[in-house]
Amino acid sequence: EDLKSLGVVNNGGLCANLLDLVIPSERDRVGMELASQLAKGDDIELMLPIDVDKWVLNKARRVTSNGKTVIAGILVPVSRIMNIYSAQQNRLAEYELRLNETIDRASRDSLTTLYNARMTRLLCEEYIKGGEKNFALLMIDLDNFKSVNDNFGHIEGDKALASVSEIIKNLFRNNDIVGRVGGDEFLVLIKDIDARDIVEARSSQIISSLKKIACGNMPEGELSCSVGAVF
């Protein structure tokens, strides 16, 4: 079959020969690809370089029109496809960002922004199941915190909890797991550690730092805590 006899149906009418649309330097390559696809069936899909800066995607089919064999299809500019693809990618990225933000909010304690009890447990279980590791688990319990709320009000109590959380978070690494697991209870999993003195030092820092917290009408020395650790 002579490829040069293949016309192109455009807007319902017969126009130029298909290969005449292609820039001269690409006609042989496109002709061979076209012949290869037509040898396998009537459906074709080609990138057609119509000019140096414009390549179009042609999804078409060999048909008979007015007694002539022609390629009937739609020429879609690649630039348009790329614009659609780019827009879809942007929408997908925005969706993923919002999804991640939603997941992160759902895993955080709203007051302290530490991990909530559920996420703390899940992260600890996931880490521990990963095989033999050296780690320490700390439980931090504020002493008689109810008296803070009773004497200074819940607003000051919430400020105190936020301050406690910030102190605890800053004393540990970003990859350690730090969570609020109760009203006045916190849990820390220190990863990859087997030195008892480091854990003792961190515990002492927590205790001493909490005594310095002062919020509104609440003076220093009102807060204290108990820390338990297991290796």
Side-chain angles (χ1 to χ4, degrees), residues 103-158:
I103 293 173
D104 186 65
R105 284 195 299 268
S107 68
R108 299 282 178 176
D109 173 60
S110 59
L111 174 63
T112 65
T113 71
L114 298 180
Y115 289 120
N116 58 30
R118 179 178 177 275
M119 183 54 65
T120 301
R121 180 186 181 112
L122 289 174
L123 291 174
C124 288
E125 289 178 345
E126 180 182 359
Y127 175 78
I128 294 170
K129 288 178 181 178
E132 291 295 328
K133 297 182 177 74
N134 294 322
F135 64 93
L137 197 64
L138 274 65
M139 286 296 300
I140 304 161
D141 189 2
L142 300 185
D143 301 324
N144 301 314
F145 186 73
K146 183 177 182 298
S147 64
V148 174
N149 286 328
D150 292 342
N151 295 331
F152 304 102
H154 286 277
I155 293 178
E156 298 303 327
D158 286 349

Side-chain angles (χ1 to χ4, degrees), residues 165-192:
S165 303
E166 192 68 19
I167 288 172
I168 295 174
K169 181 173 66 175
N170 290 335
L171 285 174
F172 297 95
R173 300 165 297 183
N174 290 334
N175 66 325
D176 293 328
I177 301 169
V178 183
R180 182 187 180 196
V181 295
D184 58 359
E185 297 172 344
F186 301 84
L187 182 145
V188 180
L189 188 149
I190 311 175
K191 299 180 179 180
D192 303 316

Side-chain angles (χ1 to χ4, degrees), residues 11-31:
N11 294 327
L14 189 65
C15 66
N17 172 270
L18 178 63
L19 293 181
D20 288 341
L21 297 176
V22 178
I23 56 177
S25 61
E26 293 289 329
R27 285 176 187 168
D28 289 342
R29 181 189 64 79
V30 172

